[in-house]
């Protein structure tokens, strides 16, 4: 069964450093998302992406964050200058996008645990 | 008011019994509703989606939706120890095909042997 994959599974970085989190969405899916979950808290939306453009972003997704689809398979999240409060699990998700608006099921990858020291 | 509210639990249910998980949402324009299961340290796994009022059954799982009451529930029949996890209720307002999912904080379910 097709699944979303993410690398690395765990990333440790120093405050102020740049990190890139990578995702390979399910191959025939058209919509891509990043969410994050701080330990003990709920899953929060960061950004959605379609047709090489950001569709929607949350207040969390400030100028420190960017997303890119550098080729036909990868989808990346870059944090330019990490802060301690960026420590969280980052989940990539994708959806097929063929149904009516809002009726698309989103499938999550296994996540990248980011630790900022 | 939280957009998606769930009782945090833990909800303890004996093995073989029915587990009942509840969720309310605040925005009437919400279009679609999902239940995800999340094991500790793992990612959310989609187990049910429901879009119209009534019941939807899939194996041991039944999702129920009442849009008038803004209420979604998940029933798990013949509960197994492997069902012990946090169950996340999620809502999509459906503004576009790229609409975000809004998650509740989750209900922790424990199935006791």
């Amino acid at each position: 069964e097709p699944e979303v994959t993410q690398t690395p599974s765990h990333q440790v970085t120093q405050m102020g450093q740049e990190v890139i989190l990578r995702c390979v969405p399910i191959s025939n899916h058209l919509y891509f998302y990043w969410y994050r979950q701080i330990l003990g808290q709920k899953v929060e939306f960061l950004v959605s992406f379609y047709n090489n453009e950001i569709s929607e972003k949350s207040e969390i997704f400030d100028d420190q964050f960017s997303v890119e689809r550098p080729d036909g398979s990868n989808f990346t999240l870059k944090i330019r200058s990490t802060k301690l409060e960026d420590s969280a699990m980052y989940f990539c998700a994708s959806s097929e996008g063929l149904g009516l608006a809002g009726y698309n099921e989103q499938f999550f990858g296994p996540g990248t645990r980011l630790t900022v020291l | 008011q939280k957009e998606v509210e769930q009782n945090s639990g833990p909800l303890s249910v004996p093995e073989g019994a029915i587990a009942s998980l509840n969720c309310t949402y605040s925005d009437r324009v919400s279009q679609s509703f999902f239940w995800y299961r999340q094991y500790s340290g793992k990612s959310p796994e989609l187990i049910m989606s429901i879009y119209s009022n009534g019941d939807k059954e899939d194996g041991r799982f039944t999702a129920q939706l009442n849009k008038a009451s803004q209420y979604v529930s998940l029933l798990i029949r013949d509960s197994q120890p492997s069902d012990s996890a946090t169950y996340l209720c999620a809502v999509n307002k459906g503004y576009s095909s790229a609409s975000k999912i809004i998650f509740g904080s989750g209900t922790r379910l424990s199935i006791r042997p």
Side-chain angles (χ1 to χ4, degrees), chain A residues 52-108:
Chain A
N52 283 319
E53 288 184 348
I54 290 175
S55 297
E56 185 180 359
K57 60 183 180 180
S58 71
E59 291 177 355
I60 303 167
F61 195 88
D62 61 22
D63 292 343
Q64 295 298 315
F65 292 88
S66 62
V67 288
E68 192 179 29
R69 185 146 164 89
D71 53 44
S73 59
N74 290 283
F75 179 51
T76 62
L77 174 69
K78 181 192 290 186
I79 309 175
R80 287 191 186 82
S81 178
T82 50
K83 305 191 244 328
L84 295 176
E85 55 264 37
D86 294 327
S87 294
M89 280 288 282
Y90 287 80
F91 297 113
C92 175
S94 69
S95 65
E96 197 173 42
L98 298 180
L100 295 172
Y103 290 82
N104 293 297
E105 296 176 333
Q106 294 182 20
F107 297 91
F108 283 67

Side-chain angles (χ1 to χ4, degrees), chain A residues 21-73:
Chain A
L21 310 182
R22 291 183 167 79
C23 167
V24 178
I26 295 172
S27 62
N28 64 332
H29 284 191
L30 302 178
Y31 295 87
F32 315 123
Y33 312 83
W34 285 101
Y35 292 82
R36 78 172 186 190
Q37 187 175 32
I38 295 170
L39 187 64
Q41 297 186 24
K42 63 181 179 179
V43 178
E44 302 174 288
F45 169 78
L46 293 178
V47 66
S48 60
F49 191 86
Y50 169 70
N51 200 26
N52 283 319
E53 288 184 348
I54 290 175
S55 297
E56 185 180 359
K57 60 183 180 180
S58 71
E59 291 177 355
I60 303 167
F61 195 88
D62 61 22
D63 292 343
Q64 295 298 315
F65 292 88
S66 62
V67 288
E68 192 179 29
R69 185 146 164 89
D71 53 44
S73 59

Side-chain angles (χ1 to χ4, degrees), chain B residues 39-95:
Chain B
Y39 293 113
S40 182
K42 302 296 184 183
S43 63
E45 175 192 3
L46 180 66
I47 53 173
M48 288 289 285
S49 56
I50 186 165
Y51 308 125
S52 53
N53 282 327
D55 295 0
K56 179 182 176 183
E57 188 175 316
D58 183 1
R60 295 187 297 114
F61 299 99
T62 299
Q64 300 173 316
L65 174 61
N66 184 326
K67 287 188 177 181
S69 302
Q70 296 174 234
Y71 177 87
V72 196
S73 66
L74 179 71
L75 301 178
I76 307 174
R77 287 181 299 281
D78 187 23
S79 297
Q80 304 296 310
S82 59
D83 295 327
S84 297
T86 296
Y87 288 80
L88 309 178
C89 176
V91 168
N92 189 321
K93 295 185 184 180
Y95 296 137

